[in-house]
Each structure stands twice: as C-alpha cells, then as structure tokens.
Amino acid sequence: MSDVETGTITTKVPARLDRLPWSRWHWMIVIGLGTVWILDGLEVTIVGNLSAQLAKPGSGLDITQEQVAGLAAALYVAGACSGALFFGWLTDRFGRKKLFLVTLVVYLFATLMTALAFDAWWFFLFRFLTGFGIGGEYAAINSAIDELIPSRHRGRIDIIINGSYWLGAAGGALLTVPLLNDLPVFLGWRIAFGLGVVLGVAILLVRRHVPESPRWMFIHGRDKEAEQLVTDIEREIGGDLPEPKSSVTIHQRRSIGFVRIAHTMVALYPRRTVLGLSLFMGQAFLYNAITFGYAQILSTFYGIDTHTGYYFAVIAIGNFLGPLLLGRLFDTVGRVPMISATYIGSGALLLGTAWLFDQGMLTAVTLTACWCAVLFVASAGASSAYLTVSEIFPMETRAMAIAFFFAVGTAAGGIAGPLIFAELVSTGVPGDTALAFSIGAVVMIAGGIVELLLGVKAEQKSLEDIATPLTAASADKVA
C-alpha cells in the first residue's frame, strides 16, 4: 500500500472534539455504533442456549450438543478473528463509516443463512461467516467510537458500550425460553436467528446517520471535510464552547503501508503490544468458554436443557451491571489500578467457584450466583481490553491494532476456550469442569499482573497525547 505524503496541515480537530460537552449528538453515536455488541451478545447466547435443542431429533440438523458448544463456537470465533484482520486493514485504508456499514451487512446475510441451515456443514459455514462480520465490526466500531467521544468521557463510555454485549446476551437468553418450550423443535431455533436479522436491520437504519471520523479524514487528505464536519457538530450541539487548547501538524497520506503498521506495533511499542495480547487472551479464554458452554454445564450436571435462558439471563445482567457501575472509575481512579483489580479480582473469585463446584457444594442456582459475581468484576476488565488497545496506538494504526489484538488474543483464548471447556464438561466429572474454571482464572490473573507492570495511564488524555500520530510533523514516540 502507498505511504506517500500528499500534503501538510495544522489542525485543531482533535482538541475541538475533546472539548465538546456530552450531548444528544453523542447519544446518536452510542446508539448507532454501540448496539453492535448487543447483536454479538444475542448471537453467542442464542447458540449457547440452543445447543441442547439443536442436538435433539427433529431439529433439522444432524449435530451433537458438544459440536454446537465446541466446534461451532470455535468456528464463530475463528471467523471473528479473520474478519477483524481483513476489515481492520480496510477500515484504516478506506475509513470507519464505509466499513461499519459493510460489516453489518455481512453479519445480516450470514445470520439469515444460519436460520435456513439444512445440514451441519451449512450451519458451521455460516457460523464462521457470521463471526467474520462481527469481527470486522469490532475494529471499525471501536476505532470510530474512541475518535468521536470526548477524552474525559472516553473510558466510561467505551467500557459501558462494550458491556452492552450483555444486554443482548440477556435478551437472547430470555428469548430462547419460549422458543424452546412453545414451538416445534425444528422451528424455534430458526426464529431465534431470524430475530437477530430484524435487530440488525434496525441498527443499519440508525447507523446510516453516523458520520465518518474527522480524525481519519484529516490524515487521509480530507481536512476541509473534517473541519466542516466538526463545525456542523459544534453548531448542532450549540452553547459557548471554550477555545481548543492544542493543535497538531500532520503530513497527510492517502494510506499507510502495512509494513509500517506492523513496525509500529512490534518495534515502536513492544511493551504495549505485550500488554494488549495479555489482556485479550485472558478475557477471550474466559468469556468465549463460559458463554458458549454454560448451557452444556447446566444440562450435563443439573439436567436443565430447556430453561437455561433464565440462568444465563441472570449472569448477563450481572455482566452489564459491572461496566455500568464501575465504568466511571476507569476515568477517575485510573486505567492501571482498575484494569489490574478487575482481572485479578475476577480470577480469584473464579478459583473459589471452581473449588466449591469440585466439592459438590453448588446447585444450578448457587453456581449461577457465583458466576454472576465473578463476571460482574470481570466484565469491566474485559471491556477495558478493547479500550486499551484502541487508545495506546497511533491513530493511523488504530483499527488494525484492535483487529490484530482481537484476532491473536481471541484465536489463542477464544478458540481454545470453547474446545477445552466442551471437552472437559462432556466427561461429566466435576473435577474436570473445575479444572476448566481454574484455567480461565489463572489466565485472567496473569493478564492483571501484566497490566500492573506495563499498563498505560490514559485516563482523560487526548488520543494524540497517549500515542503521537505516525504522520505528525514532530512525532516523539516512546515504547
């Protein structure tokens, strides 16, 4: 890809965006972009809670519960990793808006095809492609949100938006109850996937009005459009706005070469690269494993296979309350103490849960309560992984950085997690499932320790102050 300079400009666009008061316009951004996590939560939870139903005779698919919770889950995550890398590169190349529209269309098509599955191979194929679209969403959406939200609100808003995944998870869990109990086996699961398509279309209609990132625009030679867009935003918000405090001089480029992007992450910021990988691997292993596998645990150990949605909805609400109640502390107490505390704290709670489960001291209700407590703490930490990698690398590489860490971390933790959990749970031996819990706990604790050692103090700072743009005239980059 070309890395040729096309001009030099000095702009106050970042400072103008950061000094804006919270407004109705920002809520439009949150609703238009942030709701993708609701879709992801809906998707993953529906599959997890339908695993027993899909395996029943008459479902229309010759498939086992272990294949749904293990292989299909791993293929979904593999698709998400592939989509993140592919669309992440395109997002930095062609802009945030084009790609967050394209990726949603990919998701809609693949989900519709999943609902029409007539054989296991078809189901597996379109689970992969559904993940492919969702993975692309993560790169395009996280980069756009962080570039449009004022710096003093960025931590809380980003964490809550990522936590909204669990609103979709709660909705998906509750939806599966009537679909499993009141409809024929072959029909209920198809309607569940169809509801995801309906929600996706509604989000697409709202998202059309979300603008391109002005930060991306001025680096890629569209500085006049960026200035006009910010002027329009200021006019819409209204009120007396303080003078922007700083400006940045940029050597504009139409595109940034892939070699330079890779060099930035590996050579210029090696400590931040280790940090991003550690945070993503920890949360990906824990969350993908338990999200896809909890219905299997309830079915295997407690004989619950049609009302799993009630249990998972409780866990999902606990997950959402974590970012909602703890999110503001990431902007006030700070990134490093909060991220390390949530990772290490959730790991310690999960080790306790593993011991209680192994001792046979938990029922379906008390196990759910334990997981609710674990994930209340873990959810804010998991959301902060996306926030961290979006903040700590230069703007020109932001989407690709998110994609890289999501893909590598999730491939290591998110593919292995469901497969390991499904295998250990399927034995029906409590000690094996407790071992699966313990593995997830140790990986989370390790991520928290890395944050303590390598974490970046990014709270309430401009993105350009955290990581100087590669195209800045006087870039001073520190690993």
Side-chain angles (χ1 to χ4, degrees), residues 454-466:
L454 304 179
V456 178
K457 296 179 180 180
E459 56 272 12
Q460 302 193 36
K461 292 182 179 180
S462 169
L463 293 171
E464 289 71 25
D465 291 335
I466 301 168

Side-chain angles (χ1 to χ4, degrees), residues 134-328:
I134 286 292
E137 287 271 290
Y138 278 104
I141 300 307
N142 267 305
S143 52
I145 287 173
D146 283 354
E147 290 167 10
L148 291 169
I149 297 298
S151 57
R152 62 190 177 280
H153 300 297
R154 189 175 60 243
R156 177 181 60 178
I157 296 302
D158 198 301
I159 286 173
I160 292 175
I161 285 176
N162 278 279
S164 69
Y165 171 101
W166 295 101
L167 290 179
L174 292 174
L175 279 173
T176 60
V177 174
L179 293 177
L180 292 179
N181 291 280
D182 300 335
L183 293 175
V185 173
F186 75 91
L187 182 61
W189 66 269
R190 299 182 189 276
I191 292 178
F193 285 112
L195 291 173
V197 177
V198 174
L199 179 58
V201 170
I203 294 173
L204 184 63
L205 295 176
V206 176
R207 190 173 288 183
R208 292 180 307 157
H209 303 291
V210 176
E212 180 58 85
S213 164
R215 283 177 157 102
W216 182 89
M217 293 168 74
F218 70 67
I219 283 181
H220 290 80
R222 296 168 57 184
D223 49 290
K224 292 183 180 179
E225 293 177 64
E227 297 284 351
Q228 184 58 52
L229 174 57
V230 176
T231 298
D232 293 341
I233 295 169
E234 291 170 339
R235 185 181 301 115
E236 180 178 341
I237 293 175
D240 294 326
L241 297 174
E243 282 296 314
K245 295 180 180 180
S246 61
S247 62
V248 59
T249 300
I250 293 292
H251 299 301
Q252 295 174 307
R253 286 168 170 80
R254 293 295 182 188
S255 63
I256 308 298
F258 184 79
V259 172
R260 192 174 187 193
I261 293 173
H263 178 266
T264 300
M265 290 189 286
V266 176
L268 293 181
Y269 295 102
R271 291 165 59 90
R272 296 184 182 190
T273 298
V274 172
L275 172 64
L277 287 174
S278 300
L279 294 180
F280 261 93
M281 289 176 64
Q283 64 87 26
F285 187 98
L286 177 68
Y287 271 94
N288 285 283
I290 193 60
T291 301
F292 285 111
Y294 198 65
Q296 185 186 8
I297 293 173
L298 293 176
S299 175
T300 301
F301 292 98
Y302 303 109
I304 300 169
D305 60 3
T306 59
H307 291 82
T308 57
Y310 289 132
Y311 295 89
F312 202 90
V314 174
I315 289 177
I317 293 301
N319 268 285
F320 179 65
L321 288 176
L324 183 65
L325 299 177
L326 301 178
R328 66 181 184 85

Side-chain angles (χ1 to χ4, degrees), residues 36-50 68 73 76 107-115 123 126-131 134 138 165 167-173 175-176 189-200 291-292 312:
V36 65
W37 281 266
I38 297 177
L39 276 181
D40 192 14
L42 186 74
E43 275 292 320
V44 172
T45 309
I46 281 176
V47 174
N49 283 282
L50 291 176
V68 178
Y76 176 87
Y107 160 81
L108 289 172
F109 170 75
T111 300
L112 179 61
M113 291 299 100
T114 302
F123 183 82
F126 285 102
R127 288 311 295 159
F128 176 87
L129 292 177
T130 301
I134 286 292
Y138 278 104
Y165 171 101
L167 290 179
L175 279 173
T176 60
W189 66 269
R190 299 182 189 276
I191 292 178
F193 285 112
L195 291 173
V197 177
V198 174
L199 179 58
T291 301
F292 285 111
F312 202 90

Side-chain angles (χ1 to χ4, degrees), residues 8 43 55 63 72 78 156 168 184 202 221 236 284 326 335 372 379 395 459:
T8 301
E43 275 292 320
I63 197 169
R156 177 181 60 178
E236 180 178 341
L326 301 178
R335 303 285 199 264
C372 193
S379 184
M395 206 233 67
E459 56 272 12

